[in-house]
């Protein structure tokens, strides 16, 4: 198209665009912070006014439990909310309570008693006042999404109320606990450097060691990306569970000569620690003095050797897990209490196992250092005990000026929408007069979906190969086209680094570091454009422009091709009268009009059509006019297709830079829908780079496309691409027609292959090659070594791509604490006896032990993955895969030969790149009667393979920046249960006797019924 009168072409100035987008994101977060502050204020005011009521009952409180709601059920008054995309109730918040608190598999009469917990019922009562602020915020801000408050006691309020989703593979087992989610952890617990000590002496053998391993993994999984951690195991000696030390002096890994830093608690580093913990075995005698000395020295060494950004720079803790002991390490405490690096270290101790030996020493360790002492006796109590063990002690103290620190999370999966999101959260404190300190009562938060941030991008302006991305202070992605949806909302945050999805080169590392330190810059670099999983295109001028987003820990980047232009469509009278034709049409998932992202349904397109006509709707004029203009120039082509009934094609389609997709026939709509977003459309991405014909082969044929451009003066810009999806038979027929008249080439004597730039076969002069179908096949899969020759000669180049967001079949988990001898399946009598021993031994922890003991008897078997967030969804799990990607090199033509095993002669072949395409013609002197070569390529395949062996020392240790505010480092002062009065103990004993009689009757009933 030449010189279209209503179209103008303007150069893209990326620095201005990135500043404008950063300002939009800043304003968006500012409005959410204001709404969040309103929530926190009313909740803290409520704590000062509420009067405790011991007489509350569940049937009188009547909280709206989200598990009882059903979508669009008239009985619960739910209505579809277009903004949120689900059925909700706007007049009230919904309640979620974790399984361990009072929901789930509890025996009916225990459950009935447990649901009357006065802490939960009073919490629901006093926090109900927040609904009025929730509703006010929602009505005031049309961009506001989910609002919520979670209490330290476990319940959570979500506004607006909606049904609670439990993944089907979990068989209605709701494992969600808001207190273990990133937004709650960051809002409730200060950043910390943590050393975990595991007792591996012979006394922990069997069930105790198994429980301990699960508990340590659960603890590690509660840590966030601003925490640093390492794990050591001890008996008479102590060593890291994963000894990765390499001395700078003698290059050995001897523990006595070397120091090992703490590692950032990222998803990758946690997996490495989990693997090492699984392999631990027990034996020997325990020495607390040796273990604590090791930990204190490790803190000293870490402070002396850590690099910039390493360490939390806030709190320091030692978490000691043991089945008990009598050694009091007095000299250790004396030696390190005056050291500046260790005097502030708090020790948290855990007595582990169904029948711990004397644990007075463990309790005194915690009390002496300002930590907390806990007891973990059963598997079912692990999550609750770990969560409660340190959050109340390490929660940030309320600032004296009343100013709360906003916490910004990394990307994670929302439990309500199962979409990627970030959150802003703030701690909520108890300001009532009867408390000596302003203790933490919970955390309030607001979701900001990633798609909302994406919708602030200058979509058309930066072109199909342009995109926006955001990273945080740790270099982890918040927004990026390469950031994938997670397996489940129970999964931990993915912690995908910018260098995990971009090329890990020196220049990209510098860009990442600049963004983390808050610099603004624009640079041009050589690199590769990722077309799809199997295709990259080398490009010498990719432009990156980046700037910090003020008042957040995030930095924004925009990417496009250097010297690219964008289109501006004018608004003449003729265009005003055009309406969007929704027949055989799809639209990109962009925010064309405010708060309206079109989907693939007809009714959604009709709503967009109505919004475009409504002057009150705030729509993006350039996108709307571009959409209508695109409809105009594609109309005739669509009409022509509808009259052509050729059997050569599966489908035909047009994709435009303004997000309009048109196609024929209607049956291919699901396939077209996958490409409707230009950021994820390989045809559009190729069209902007190649300027010629592009082929994309698949097993049933090939999609062949060509760009449509607009020329204005000396500028040329991509308007869209038009493509045809050919059948394999049609491709082969046309291919043979074009080569049959060649004077020098007798196709019967040659194997002729047309390859694309990724090494895939577009078509060939034969259907099969020694029983292997050729259409869409990777050339490296054939029993000829030609790929080696093509790569060695420079026709192709190769990269190895690592995918840290892959999904694999779930591996069977093997339970082990000390090899095979630790495998133990207790019978019902053993479980009951252990349960009774727990009750008699640990009176001060009666509140949960009785119920977790019953739960352990009644609950179906749940594998270890439920204890630390590793989920089995559809038989899949998160994993790492790697694959090879091939792309064109500098060599355009080649005449060479290859060696086979069955002949002493070499087989000649020729290769030649076709001009203005991404295709390569290969001719191999090999007739149909020639014997099989028998030699396969030894190069890596394009088919992704699971990375089975991960280096034990492959910790990620990239540059990061600590958050500026240190207000959160002033932790709450607590006694960890060390100062209980005689009157309290007497009450606990009386309560124990009453509960014991009650629970013993239940156990007896269970035993006889079974």
């Amino acid at each position: 198209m030449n010189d279209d009168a209503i179209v103008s072409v303007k150069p893209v100035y990326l620095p201005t665009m990135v500043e404008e987008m950063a300002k939009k994101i800043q304003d968006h977060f500012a409005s959410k912070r204001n709404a969040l502050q309103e929530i926190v204020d009313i909740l803290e005011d409520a704590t000062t006014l509420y009067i405790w009521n011991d007489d509350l009952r569940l049937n009188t409180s009547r909280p709206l439990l989200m598990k009882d709601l059903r979508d669009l059920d008239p009985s619960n008054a739910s209505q579809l909310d277009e903004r949120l995309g689900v059925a909700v109730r706007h007049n009230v918040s919904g309640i979620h309570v974790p399984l361990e608190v009072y929901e789930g598999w509890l025996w009916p009469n225990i459950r009935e008693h447990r649901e009357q917990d006065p802490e939960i019922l009073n919490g629901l009562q006093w926090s109900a006042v927040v609904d009025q602020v929730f509703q006010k915020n929602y009505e005031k801000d049309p961009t506001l999404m989910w609002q919520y408050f979670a209490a330290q006691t476990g319940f959570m309020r979500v506004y607006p109320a909606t049904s609670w989703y439990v993944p089907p593979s979990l068989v209605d087992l709701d494992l969600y606990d808001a207190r273990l989610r990133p937004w709650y952890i960051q809002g409730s617990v200060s950043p910390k450097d943590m050393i975990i000590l595991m007792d591996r002496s012979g006394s922990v053998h069997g069930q105790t060691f198994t429980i301990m391993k699960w508990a340590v993994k659960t603890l590690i999984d509660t840590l966030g990306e601003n925490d640093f951690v390492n794990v050591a195991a001890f008996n008479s000696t102590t060593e890291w569970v994963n000894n990765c030390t390499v001395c700078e002096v003698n290059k050995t890994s001897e523990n006595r000569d070397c120091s090992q830093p703490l590692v950032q608690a990222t998803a990758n580093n946690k997996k490495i620690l989990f693997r090492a913990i699984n392999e631990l075995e027990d034996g020997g005698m325990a020495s607390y003095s040796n273990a604590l000395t090791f930990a204190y020295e490790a803190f000293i060494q870490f402070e002396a050797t850590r690099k910039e950004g390493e360490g939390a720079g806030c709190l320091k803790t030692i978490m000691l897990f043991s089945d008990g002991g009598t050694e009091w390490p007095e000299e250790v405490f004396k030696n390190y209490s005056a050291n500046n690096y260790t005097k502030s270290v708090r020790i948290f101790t855990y007595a582990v196992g169904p029948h711990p030996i004397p644990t007075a020493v463990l309790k005194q360790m915690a009390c002496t250092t300002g930590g907390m002492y806990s007891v973990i006796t059963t598997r079912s109590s692990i999550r609750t005990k770990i969560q409660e063990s340190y959050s109340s002690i390490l929660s940030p103290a309320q600032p004296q000026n009343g100013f709360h620190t906003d916490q910004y999370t990394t990307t994670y999966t929302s439990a309500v929408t199962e979409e990627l999101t970030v959150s802003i959260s703030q701690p909520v404190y108890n300001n009532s007069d009867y408390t000596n300190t302003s203790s933490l009562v919970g955390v309030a938060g607001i979701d900001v979906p990633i798609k909302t941030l994406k919708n602030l991008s200058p979509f058309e302006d930066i072109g199909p190969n342009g995109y926006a991305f955001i990273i945080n202070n740790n270099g982890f992605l918040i927004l990026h086209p390469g950031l994938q949806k997670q397996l489940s909302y129970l999964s931990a945050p993915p912690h995908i680094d910018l260098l995990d999805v971009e090329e890990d080169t020196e220049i990209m590392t510098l860009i990442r570091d600049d963004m983390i330190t808050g610099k603004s810059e624009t640079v041009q670099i050589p690199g590769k454009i990722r077309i799809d999983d199997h295709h990259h295109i080398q490009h010498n001028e990719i432009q990156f422009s980046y700037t910090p987003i003020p008042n957040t820990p995030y930095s924004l980047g925009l990417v496009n091709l250097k010297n690219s232009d964008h289109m501006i469509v004018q608004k003449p009278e003729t265009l005003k009268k055009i309406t969007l034709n929704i027949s055989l049409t799809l639209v990109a998932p962009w925010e064309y009009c405010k708060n309206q992202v079109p989907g693939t349904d007809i009714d959604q397109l009709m709503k967009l059509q109505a919004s475009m006509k409504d002057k009150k709707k705030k729509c993006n004029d350039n996108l709307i006019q571009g959409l209508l203009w695109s409809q105009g120039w594609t109309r005739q082509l669509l009409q022509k297709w509808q009259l052509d009934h050729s059997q050569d094609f599966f489908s035909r389609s047009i994709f435009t830079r303004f997000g309009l997709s048109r196609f024929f026939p209607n049956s291919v709509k699901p396939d077209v829908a996958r490409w409707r977003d230009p950021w994820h459309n390989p045809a559009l991405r190729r069209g902007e780079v190649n300027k010629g014909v592009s082929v994309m082969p698949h097993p049933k044929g090939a999609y062949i496309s060509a760009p449509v451009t607009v020329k204005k003066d000396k500028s040329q810009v991509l308007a869209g691409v038009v493509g045809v999806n050919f059948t394999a038979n049609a491709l082969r027929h046309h291919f043979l027609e074009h080569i049959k008249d060649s004077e020098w080439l007798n196709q019967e004597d040659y194997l002729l292959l047309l390859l694309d730039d990724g090494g895939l076969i577009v078509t060939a002069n034969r259907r099969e090659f020694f029983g292997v179908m050729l259409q869409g096949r990777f050339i490296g899969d054939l029993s000829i070594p030609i790929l080696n020759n093509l790569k060695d000669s420079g026709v192709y180049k190769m990269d190895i791509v690592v995918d840290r967001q892959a999904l694999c079949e779930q591996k069977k988990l093997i339970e082990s604490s000390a090899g095979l001898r630790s495998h133990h399946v207790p019978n019902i009598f053993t479980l009951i006896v252990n349960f009774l021993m727990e009750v008699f031994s640990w009176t001060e922890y009666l509140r949960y032990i009785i119920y977790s003991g019953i739960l352990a008897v009644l609950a179906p078997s749940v594998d270890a993955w439920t204890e630390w967030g590793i989920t089995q969804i559809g038989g899949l799990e998160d994993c790492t895969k790697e694959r090879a990607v091939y792309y064109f090199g500098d060599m355009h033509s080649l005449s060479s030969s290859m060696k086979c095993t069955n002949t002493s002669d070499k087989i000649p072949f020729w290769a030649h790149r076709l001009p203005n395409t991404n295709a390569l013609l290969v001719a191999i002197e090999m007739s149909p009667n020639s014997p099989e070569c028998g030699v396969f390529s030894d190069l890596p395949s394009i088919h992704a393979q699971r990375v089975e062996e991960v280096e034990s020392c492959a910790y990620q240790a990239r540059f990061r920046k600590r958050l500026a505010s240190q207000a959160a480092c002033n932790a709450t002062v607590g006694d960890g249960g060390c100062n209980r009065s005689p009157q309290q103990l007497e009450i606990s004993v009386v309560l124990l006797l009453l509960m014991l009689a009650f629970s013993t009757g239940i156990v007896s009933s269970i035993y006889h019924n079974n």
Side-chain angles (χ1 to χ4, degrees):
M1 292 183 288
N2 295 322
D3 198 29
D4 193 310
I6 66 171
V7 174
S8 60
V9 176
K10 302 291 184 182
V12 173
Y13 188 62
L14 215 56
T16 299
M17 289 183 178
V18 77
E19 292 289 345
E20 291 174 350
M21 183 176 173
K23 181 62 168 62
K24 292 178 182 178
I25 296 175
Q26 178 190 2
D27 293 344
H28 187 84
F29 277 117
S31 66
K32 305 305 169 282
R33 284 197 301 270
N34 293 336
L36 180 60
Q37 192 61 56
E38 295 283 341
I39 296 170
V40 172
D41 288 345
I42 195 171
L43 285 169
E44 291 186 344
D45 289 345
T47 64
T48 66
L49 302 174
Y50 183 73
I51 300 175
W52 187 271
N53 184 355
D54 283 321
D55 298 325
L56 286 176
R57 291 294 180 267
L58 186 66
N59 57 358
T60 57
S61 299
R62 298 188 182 281
L64 181 61
L65 299 176
M66 291 191 290
K67 70 180 185 64
D68 296 332
L69 288 177
R70 295 293 179 268
D71 291 344
L72 298 177
D73 186 346
S75 63
N76 62 44
S78 295
Q79 294 181 335
L80 180 64
D81 186 299
E82 291 185 6
R83 186 195 312 183
L84 299 171
V86 295
V88 301
R89 289 183 60 174
H90 291 103
N91 63 327
V92 67
S93 59
I95 305 298
H96 178 272
V97 186
L99 176 72
E100 294 92 335
V101 177
Y102 68 68
E103 292 298 316
W105 288 326
L106 297 180
W107 199 254
N109 49 352
I110 292 183
R111 177 174 175 178
E112 180 182 355
H113 174 87
R114 193 69 187 94
E115 289 182 343
Q116 311 306 323
D117 187 333
E119 280 198 53
I120 298 293
L121 295 179
N122 277 276
L124 293 173
Q125 192 79 359
W126 73 259
S127 64
V129 67
V130 75
D131 280 0
Q132 58 183 282
V133 172
F134 282 157
Q135 190 167 356
K136 176 184 174 184
N137 286 341
Y138 194 77
E139 293 171 352
K140 181 180 178 181
D141 184 352
T143 67
L144 190 62
M145 304 298 277
W146 301 98
Q147 308 169 74
Y148 36 84
F149 165 72
Q152 282 280 74
T153 50
F155 74 85
M156 177 176 68
R157 288 187 173 275
V158 177
Y159 181 88
T162 189
S163 61
W164 188 258
Y165 172 75
V166 177
S169 58
L170 296 185
V171 197
D172 294 328
L173 173 59
D174 184 6
L175 296 174
Y176 182 86
D177 188 335
R179 298 169 297 178
L180 301 176
R181 301 308 294 157
W183 60 270
Y184 191 95
I185 292 171
Q186 287 187 217
S188 64
V189 183
S190 303
K192 51 206 166 292
D193 294 320
M194 177 183 291
I195 293 177
I196 301 174
L197 298 174
M198 296 178 64
D199 183 348
R200 60 180 296 181
S201 62
S203 63
V204 303
H205 174 68
Q207 186 179 6
T208 297
F209 206 25
T210 298
I211 295 173
M212 184 184 297
K213 288 181 177 182
W214 285 7
V216 171
K217 292 175 185 177
T218 301
L219 173 61
I220 293 172
D221 211 49
T222 66
L223 303 180
E225 64 191 77
N226 294 314
D227 298 318
F228 279 69
V229 65
N230 212 333
V231 183
F234 70 93
N235 41 35
S236 59
T237 61
T238 309
E239 62 181 10
W240 300 115
V241 296
N242 193 31
N243 190 7
C244 297
T245 308
V246 176
C247 291
E248 292 298 324
V249 178
N250 55 19
K251 303 300 180 184
T252 70
S253 57
E254 297 178 13
N255 195 62
R256 64 179 181 273
D257 295 328
C258 308
S259 63
Q260 175 167 325
L262 305 185
V263 297
Q264 190 178 7
T266 64
N268 181 70
N269 291 345
K270 289 177 182 180
K271 289 178 181 178
I272 295 175
L273 289 174
F274 288 172
R275 189 179 299 109
I277 291 169
N278 285 339
E279 296 172 356
L280 283 177
E281 296 184 1
D282 55 75
M285 300 288 291
S287 170
Y288 291 153
S289 295
N290 183 280
L292 291 172
T293 299
F294 178 93
Y296 281 128
E297 286 296 324
F299 276 126
I300 294 173
Q301 292 166 350
F302 182 52
E303 287 294 337
T305 61
R306 66 178 177 82
K307 300 176 183 178
E308 182 184 359
E310 286 187 336
C314 194
L315 303 179
K316 297 178 182 177
T317 65
I318 294 173
M319 322 299 275
L320 193 151
F321 291 77
S322 175
D323 64 342
T326 58
E327 177 196 5
W328 173 246
E330 183 174 355
E331 289 301 317
V332 176
F333 288 132
K334 286 182 179 180
N335 292 339
Y336 293 98
S337 60
N339 187 292
N340 288 334
Y341 290 151
T342 58
K343 65 182 180 181
S344 62
V345 175
R346 300 190 186 203
I347 300 178
F348 293 77
T349 56
Y350 301 84
V352 182
H355 39 76
I357 58 180
T359 55
V361 169
L362 292 177
K363 184 172 184 179
Q364 192 58 34
M365 284 184 197
C367 296
T368 300
T369 60
M372 188 170 182
Y373 166 67
S374 303
V375 177
I376 300 176
T377 54
T378 65
R379 301 181 183 190
S380 56
S381 63
I382 288 176
R383 289 209 308 169
T384 298
K385 289 295 185 179
I386 290 297
Q387 194 282 326
E388 292 182 339
S389 64
Y390 69 87
S391 60
S392 60
I393 302 294
L394 298 184
S395 59
Q398 185 175 25
Q400 296 297 318
N401 59 6
F403 177 76
H404 296 69
T405 302
D406 297 312
Q407 298 294 328
Y408 292 79
T409 70
T410 188
T411 302
Y412 69 96
T413 299
S414 167
V416 179
T417 64
E418 288 208 296
E419 297 292 338
L420 292 177
T421 187
V422 292
S423 295
I424 314 176
S425 63
Q426 282 188 14
V428 178
Y429 296 93
N430 185 353
N431 292 334
S432 57
D433 294 336
Y434 61 83
T435 57
N436 295 326
T437 60
S438 296
S439 60
L440 184 78
V441 294
V443 175
I446 289 178
D447 274 358
V448 178
I450 298 305
K451 64 183 180 181
T452 300
L453 301 178
K454 178 184 174 182
N455 285 334
L456 299 176
S457 305
F459 290 109
E460 182 277 332
D461 295 359
I462 55 179
N465 287 294
Y467 56 90
F469 70 96
I470 301 173
I471 64 173
N472 67 4
N473 61 295
N474 290 301
F476 296 140
L477 294 178
I478 303 301
L479 168 68
H480 193 284
L483 190 59
Q484 303 295 317
K485 185 177 179 180
Q486 288 184 274
L487 183 62
S488 162
Y489 64 72
L490 293 174
S491 301
H495 294 144
I496 302 301
D497 195 277
L498 178 63
L499 299 182
D500 291 334
V501 294
E502 300 284 355
E503 287 189 272
D504 192 351
T505 60
E506 183 177 351
I507 185 63
M508 277 306 306
T509 301
L510 290 174
I511 290 174
R512 175 188 179 276
D513 294 353
D514 279 354
M515 294 181 71
I516 290 174
T517 54
K519 294 182 180 179
S520 297
E521 191 64 71
T522 298
V523 296
Q524 287 83 38
I525 67 171
K528 300 181 189 73
I529 299 171
R530 180 183 178 276
I531 299 299
D532 56 35
D533 287 345
H534 301 297
H535 297 88
H536 292 177
I537 296 178
Q538 205 159 4
H539 198 277
N540 290 328
E541 294 182 321
I542 301 175
Q543 187 170 224
F544 283 78
S545 189
Y546 46 89
T547 192
I549 301 172
N551 303 321
T552 76
Y554 303 146
S555 184
L556 168 69
L558 285 180
V559 181
N560 78 334
L561 305 184
K562 185 184 177 183
N563 298 326
S564 62
D565 298 318
H566 75 105
M567 299 171 59
I568 297 177
V569 178
Q570 310 300 327
K571 196 174 181 181
E573 291 300 318
T574 55
L575 207 56
K576 290 180 182 179
K577 301 176 182 179
I578 299 176
T579 59
L580 181 64
N581 186 341
I582 60 177
S583 174
L584 299 172
T585 298
L586 286 175
V587 175
W590 295 349
E591 195 174 54
Y592 290 90
C593 296
K594 198 70 173 176
N595 301 322
Q596 191 171 17
V597 178
T600 58
D601 296 333
I602 293 294
D603 60 336
Q604 292 173 314
L605 290 175
M606 292 179 68
K607 289 176 182 176
L608 174 61
Q609 187 182 61
S611 297
M612 291 163 56
K613 297 179 180 179
D614 189 349
K615 295 182 179 179
K616 296 181 180 179
K617 294 285 186 179
K618 295 181 179 179
C619 296
N620 184 317
D621 282 345
N622 192 48
L623 283 182
I624 293 297
Q625 299 311 314
L627 203 63
L628 296 176
W629 173 77
S630 299
Q631 179 180 264
W633 69 262
T634 61
R635 182 185 297 110
Q636 288 185 350
L637 198 53
L638 184 61
Q639 291 172 348
K640 182 178 179 181
W641 291 345
Q642 291 173 306
L643 299 175
D644 185 355
H645 302 287
S646 172
Q647 299 300 308
D648 286 351
F649 319 120
F650 291 115
S651 64
R652 281 159 284 195
S653 51
I654 314 169
F655 302 97
T656 77
R657 70 180 296 127
F658 287 101
L660 181 76
S661 302
R662 311 197 79 170
F663 52 91
F664 183 81
N666 189 60
S667 59
V668 299
K669 180 179 178 179
D671 297 323
V672 175
R674 288 194 289 269
W675 285 8
R676 69 188 181 108
D677 187 345
W679 280 10
H680 298 282
N681 187 314
L684 271 170
R685 293 169 72 83
R686 282 192 179 277
E688 186 180 33
V689 179
N690 285 344
K691 308 299 184 184
V693 174
S694 297
V695 293
M696 284 168 272
H698 54 80
K700 295 183 178 181
Y703 185 84
I704 301 179
S705 63
V708 178
T709 60
V710 171
K711 296 180 180 179
K712 298 286 289 189
D713 301 325
K714 296 181 180 181
S715 297
Q716 181 173 312
V717 64
L718 177 75
V721 293
V722 58
V724 178
N725 193 7
F726 278 89
T727 66
N729 287 337
L731 274 174
R732 186 167 173 271
H733 171 74
H734 291 297
F735 180 62
L736 294 176
E737 286 293 315
H738 279 81
I739 64 175
K740 70 179 182 180
D741 296 329
S742 174
E743 295 181 0
W744 65 274
L745 185 62
N746 182 359
Q747 62 169 300
E748 294 298 327
D749 297 331
Y750 290 86
L751 171 64
L752 303 177
L753 303 172
L754 188 66
L755 307 180
D756 78 345
D757 53 350
L760 298 178
I761 299 174
V762 179
T763 189
N765 65 334
R766 303 176 196 169
R767 296 182 187 275
E768 297 182 5
F769 183 75
F770 293 101
V772 176
M773 296 297 296
L774 292 177
Q775 179 62 47
R777 180 77 62 175
F778 173 54
I779 185 65
D781 293 342
L782 303 184
S783 58
I784 47 176
I786 190 170
L787 181 61
N788 294 68
N789 299 75
L790 294 174
K791 178 181 176 296
D792 292 343
S793 62
V795 174
Y796 280 112
K797 292 183 179 181
M798 182 198 73
D799 289 336
I800 297 296
V801 176
V802 178
D803 181 4
R804 302 188 188 280
Q805 304 174 78
L807 297 178
C808 300
E809 290 186 7
Q810 177 83 32
K811 286 186 175 180
K812 186 176 181 181
L813 295 170
I814 300 176
E815 202 177 287
S816 174
S817 61
L820 292 177
R821 62 179 183 161
S822 297
H823 189 70
H824 174 63
V825 182
N827 58 33
I828 186 70
F829 179 76
T830 304
L831 287 172
I832 294 173
V833 169
N834 288 341
F835 162 69
L836 293 176
M837 290 179 66
E838 295 167 19
V839 174
F840 281 119
S841 301
W842 310 107
T843 58
E844 67 265 42
Y845 295 97
L846 179 63
R847 178 180 174 192
Y848 284 109
I849 287 180
I850 288 179
Y851 300 106
S852 61
I854 295 295
L855 188 62
V857 175
L858 294 177
S861 174
V862 181
D863 285 326
W865 54 269
T866 64
E867 299 298 342
W868 58 85
I870 299 176
T871 57
Q872 291 176 318
I873 307 297
L876 300 176
E877 65 179 352
D878 297 319
C879 66
T880 299
K881 290 184 178 181
E882 66 179 23
R883 66 178 182 276
V885 174
Y886 295 85
Y887 53 96
F888 281 156
D890 299 325
M891 181 68 71
H892 287 240
S893 294
L894 176 67
S895 176
S896 184
S897 61
M898 57 185 174
K899 182 74 171 62
C900 291
T901 59
N902 54 15
T903 177
S904 59
D905 297 329
K906 292 186 177 181
I907 299 177
F909 72 88
W910 295 264
H912 182 74
R913 289 252 300 268
L914 304 187
N916 300 317
T917 73
N918 66 320
L920 175 76
L921 179 62
V922 176
I924 306 171
E925 195 172 296
M926 183 178 284
S927 72
N929 298 321
S930 299
E932 187 173 7
C933 182
V935 178
F936 287 86
S937 168
D938 58 2
L939 293 173
S941 173
I942 64 170
H943 309 298
Q945 300 293 324
R946 181 170 186 159
V947 179
E948 298 290 351
E949 296 296 329
V950 179
E951 293 182 21
S952 60
C953 300
Y955 289 122
Q956 289 179 335
R958 291 169 173 149
F959 174 72
R960 65 182 291 270
K961 179 183 177 182
R962 292 178 185 167
L963 298 176
S965 174
Q966 292 296 311
C969 294
N970 300 318
T972 301
V973 178
D975 61 33
C978 297
N979 299 319
R980 172 168 278 184
S981 66
Q983 290 83 358
Q984 288 175 307
L985 183 58
E986 181 180 347
I987 293 172
S988 294
V989 172
V990 173
L991 180 60
L992 166 65
L993 296 176
L994 291 174
M995 295 296 291
L996 179 59
F998 170 74
S999 58
T1000 303
I1002 297 300
V1003 173
S1004 176
S1005 173
I1006 296 168
Y1007 181 75
H1008 288 300
N1009 287 340
N1010 289 339

